[in-house]
């Protein structure tokens, strides 16, 4: 259970409140890095980190290109860049074209993180209005990682979670509370 | 359709590129290069990474076509509108106070940033007073840009919105002509631009130093050792007091050479070269 090296969360429409609840529940000494790729307005560069930070005991950071990944931090994919995790645990950012109408694309972040961390990654897909993230979560499964999908019945917009369930066999379908309990057990 | 390649495939292609074209991509960012190579494999109709490497070694694919296809594109005009507004209203008028003002754009691919800069010069009333020296990775890039590029509706819509946020002095549509939902920028925007082919910034000679270098989101392509060399080259190309502009989520902090610069606009990542 404690072998995991990172947790990656993808979400879109309807995920903000869920993410806020998850962040608020994590203690200041939470040992794993949390990587969040959330769909956001690409022309608004500031404000999102500040909004998420209000209830967080952990520092929330938009990583710069080549920044090393560190435990005990929450990283948020910056506006208008795709966010990758390179071998060697550094972030890289890219201005490549949108994927699934999105930059950052959840699929692309999950592809690189699952390739890097293999079975030591926990991938979580939350509420969202398109299918971005579904193939990304499949790549977590394919690389031996652990997968969680927010229960579509609980999602404000279940398109993303349902697409993920259709794309791959997930380990757990959890409510927000169950996701929080699971993450706390990893600490 | 090839949808993924591994490290071994990527290294094999890098080796083929070095052997066939004399281009060293071994210190490029792995994930970005891998994605660009997958794009190239499919563009050239190869059925596998090995098949693609073979076509490169046999030069069935020319170096120019390879570089055109594999280059990382910028996908918007006026990406980060506030940066372009700062350049128009503050930094470019400042560097144009003296004669022989020149700006370097050493890696132009899709042309978005070059045309954006040309429009900024135009709107600052400085067309004819500033020269832009641009480098493109391939002749194919140059040929396309000189004709005004060929941009799809999606890019134009995003760029229109960016131009509005930049608070442009006219309508973005006045800078292009639209045919069959494809936009071509007006080639007269490039009257003060000279463009040459060069895919290796480290292998360029700087005859006269520049007042400004615009190199946004290009350092993303490189691992730290190559990134460091490129930053040294960029700094070396600048006059004392000249400005370097990089992407807003790029940083120079992993290069010792960055001590030669001071940041003058942290939000827009504008740096000024210090007195030695």
């Amino acid at each position: 259970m404690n072998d995991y090296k990172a947790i990656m969360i993808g979400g879109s429409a309807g995920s903000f409140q869920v993410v806020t609840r998850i962040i608020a529940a994590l203690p200041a000494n939470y040992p794993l890095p949390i990587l969040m790729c959330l769909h956001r307005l690409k022309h608004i560069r500031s404000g999102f980190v500040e909004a998420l930070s209000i209830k967080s005991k952990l520092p929330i950071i938009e990583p710069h290109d080549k920044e090393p990944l560190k435990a005990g931090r929450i990283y948020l994919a910056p506006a208008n860049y795709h966010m990758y995790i390179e071998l060697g645990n550094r972030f890289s950012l890219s201005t490549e074209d949108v994927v699934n109408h999105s930059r950052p694309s959840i699929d692309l972040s999950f592809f690189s993180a699952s390739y890097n961390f293999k079975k030591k990654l926990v991938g979580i897909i939350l509420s969202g209005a398109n299918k971005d993230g579904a193939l990304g979560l499949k790549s977590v499964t394919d690389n031996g990682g652990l997968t969680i999908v927010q229960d579509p019945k609980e999602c404000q917009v279940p398109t993303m979670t349902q697409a993920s369930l259709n794309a791959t066999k997930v380990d757990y379908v959890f409510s927000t509370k169950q996701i929080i309990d699971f993450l706390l057990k990893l600490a | 359709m090839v949808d993924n390649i591994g490290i071994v495939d990527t290294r094999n292609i890098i080796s083929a590129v070095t052997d066939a074209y004399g281009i060293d991509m071994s210190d490029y960012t792995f994930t970005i290069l891998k994605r660009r190579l997958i794009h190239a494999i499919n563009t050239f109709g190869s059925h596998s990474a090995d098949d693609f490497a073979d076509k490169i070694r046999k030069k069935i694919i020319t170096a120019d076509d390879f570089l055109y296809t594999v280059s990382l594109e910028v996908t918007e005009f006026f990406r980060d509108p506030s940066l372009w507004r700062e350049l128009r209203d503050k930094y470019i008028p400042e560097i144009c106070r003296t004669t022989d003002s020149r700006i370097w754009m050493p890696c132009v691919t899709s042309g978005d940033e070059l045309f954006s800069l040309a429009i900024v010069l135009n709107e600052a009333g400085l067309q004819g007073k500033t020269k832009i020296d641009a480098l493109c990775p391939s002749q194919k890039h140059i040929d396309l840009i000189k004709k005004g590029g060929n941009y799809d509706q999606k890019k134009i819509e995003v760029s229109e919105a960016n131009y509005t946020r930049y608070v442009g002095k006219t309508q973005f549509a006045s800078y292009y002509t639209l045919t069959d939902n494809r936009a071509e920028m007006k080639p007269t925007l490039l009257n003060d631009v000279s463009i040459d082919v060069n895919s290796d910034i480290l292998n360029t000679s700087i005859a006269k130093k520049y007042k400004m270098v615009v190199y946004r989101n290009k350092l993303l392509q490189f691992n730290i050792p190559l990134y460091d060399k490129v930053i040294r080259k960029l700094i070396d190309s600048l006059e004392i007091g000249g400005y370097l502009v990089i992407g807003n989520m790029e940083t120079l902090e992993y290069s010792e050479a960055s001590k030669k610069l001071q940041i003058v606009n942290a939000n827009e990542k504008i740096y000024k070269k210090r007195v030695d």
Side-chain angles (χ1 to χ4, degrees):
Chain A
M1 195 79 166
N2 288 324
D3 264 359
Y4 295 110
K5 298 287 187 194
I7 295 154
M8 179 166 268
I9 299 174
S12 183
S15 69
F16 181 79
Q17 288 169 331
V18 181
V19 166
T20 305
R21 277 184 64 194
I22 292 171
I23 286 172
L26 298 176
N29 62 348
Y30 196 75
L32 296 174
I34 304 210
L35 317 169
M36 298 196 303
C37 185
L38 306 176
H39 289 168
R40 54 190 294 186
L41 293 172
K42 62 191 185 69
H43 62 277
I44 297 181
R45 301 195 310 216
S46 60
F48 202 5
V49 165
E50 291 79 0
L52 288 170
S53 295
I54 291 170
K55 293 190 175 176
S56 177
K57 301 171 198 76
L58 292 159
I60 302 181
I61 296 161
E62 289 174 317
H64 283 81
D65 182 55
K66 305 186 199 328
E67 187 166 329
L69 181 72
K70 292 181 180 169
R73 296 183 181 191
I74 298 172
Y75 293 97
L76 176 68
N80 216 5
Y81 286 92
H82 296 300
M83 181 181 78
Y84 304 138
I85 312 297
E86 296 295 322
L87 299 172
N89 289 353
R90 281 183 185 270
F91 288 95
S92 71
L93 303 176
S94 166
T95 57
E96 289 162 278
D97 205 357
V98 295
V99 172
N100 298 318
H101 311 286
S102 307
R103 187 171 54 220
S105 156
I106 301 168
D107 274 347
L108 296 192
S109 286
F110 272 86
F111 290 158
S112 69
S114 63
Y115 188 79
N116 186 33
F117 293 114
K118 302 286 192 293
K119 65 180 182 180
K120 297 188 175 180
L121 179 70
V122 177
I124 304 174
I125 292 292
L126 305 177
S127 174
N130 79 2
K131 64 177 185 178
D132 191 28
L135 291 178
L137 198 69
K138 181 178 184 303
S139 76
V140 179
T141 306
D142 294 346
N143 280 290
L146 187 139
T147 52
I148 300 171
V149 164
Q150 185 188 3
D151 189 340
K153 292 197 289 290
E154 189 198 68
C155 293
Q156 276 187 30
V157 188
T159 311
M160 190 176 281
T161 49
Q162 194 56 58
S164 299
L165 290 168
N166 294 342
T168 187
K169 185 177 182 308
V170 305
D171 293 298
Y172 300 110
V173 178
F174 277 167
S175 67
T176 305
K177 178 166 187 320
Q178 288 172 311
I179 292 171
I180 291 168
D181 290 343
F182 180 87
L183 294 180
L184 290 175
K185 278 184 200 164
L186 294 182
Chain B
M1 176 91 175
V2 173
D3 59 12
N4 203 6
I5 59 175
I7 290 180
V8 174
D9 296 324
T10 305
R11 286 185 180 153
N12 186 28
I13 295 170
I14 289 171
S15 172
V17 168
T18 305
D19 293 346
Y21 311 141
I23 297 166
D24 181 6
M25 304 184 100
S26 60
D27 213 5
Y28 278 49
T29 310
F30 175 72
T31 307
I32 296 175
L33 179 62
K34 183 173 89 163
R35 286 187 49 75
R36 296 312 298 166
L37 291 177
I38 292 168
H39 167 71
I41 288 168
N42 292 315
T43 300
F44 290 108
S46 291
H47 55 77
S48 68
D50 284 347
D51 178 49
F52 183 59
D54 194 48
K55 282 180 179 165
I56 290 169
R57 287 186 198 281
K58 291 175 179 165
K59 296 192 179 178
I60 294 168
I61 299 167
T62 66
D64 203 74
D65 279 342
F66 173 80
L67 288 165
Y68 178 77
T69 308
V70 87
S71 296
L72 186 61
E73 295 191 345
V74 181
T75 47
E76 300 169 16
F77 294 82
F78 291 97
R79 183 189 162 102
D80 306 316
S82 52
L83 174 270
W84 298 102
R85 198 164 54 239
E86 283 286 297
L87 293 183
R88 180 191 64 193
D89 296 343
K90 182 174 180 184
Y91 294 97
I92 286 180
E94 183 189 318
I95 66 170
C96 292
R97 283 193 199 122
T98 55
T99 56
D100 194 21
S101 166
R102 291 159 66 246
I103 300 172
W104 196 31
M105 289 192 100
C107 184
V108 173
T109 51
S110 44
D112 313 30
E113 300 259 306
L114 179 60
F115 281 112
S116 299
L117 182 60
I119 290 170
V120 164
L121 287 176
N122 187 303
E123 297 195 352
L126 295 167
Q127 225 180 9
K129 294 180 182 173
T130 306
K131 298 286 184 195
I132 303 172
D133 291 339
L135 296 177
C136 289
S138 75
Q139 185 59 45
K140 206 167 177 178
H141 282 111
I142 296 179
D143 294 343
L144 193 58
I145 288 167
K146 282 190 171 171
K147 283 192 282 186
N150 184 3
Y151 304 105
D152 64 23
Q153 187 82 26
K154 183 180 74 174
K155 177 177 278 196
I156 292 301
E157 283 171 9
V158 171
S159 301
E160 296 263 16
N162 286 346
Y163 181 81
T164 301
R165 293 188 185 99
Y166 148 81
V167 193
K169 297 195 171 178
T170 176
Q171 300 295 314
F172 187 60
S174 67
Y175 293 114
Y176 64 80
T177 53
L178 202 59
T179 311
D180 297 331
N181 288 329
R182 307 288 297 186
E184 285 185 2
M185 304 304 288
K186 291 187 175 171
T188 51
L189 286 167
L190 302 182
N191 284 349
D192 297 322
V193 178
S194 70
I195 317 180
D196 288 312
V197 180
N198 192 314
S199 62
D200 179 8
I201 185 174
L202 298 179
N203 194 21
T204 53
S205 57
I206 309 294
K208 193 165 188 306
K209 300 208 178 204
Y210 291 93
K211 290 188 183 296
M212 180 177 281
V213 176
V214 180
Y215 197 71
R216 298 203 325 130
N217 298 313
K218 306 298 182 185
L219 294 167
L220 305 178
Q221 307 171 85
F222 309 131
N223 289 329
I224 287 178
L226 181 53
Y227 148 100
D228 180 56
K229 289 178 190 167
V230 171
I231 289 171
R232 288 172 194 277
K233 182 76 180 186
L234 296 172
I235 294 172
D236 189 49
S237 72
L238 277 173
E239 286 183 10
I240 299 292
Y243 294 104
L244 172 64
V245 187
I246 62 172
N248 72 293
M249 291 309 291
E250 293 181 299
T251 175
L252 301 179
E253 71 175 280
Y254 306 113
S255 171
E256 277 286 308
S258 64
K259 290 176 183 168
K260 294 183 176 179
L261 301 169
Q262 68 176 109
I263 192 148
V264 293
N265 187 321
N267 285 337
E268 310 303 345
K269 291 293 171 67
I270 302 173
Y271 296 80
K272 189 171 191 174
K273 187 170 177 178
R274 297 176 193 272
V275 177
D276 281 333

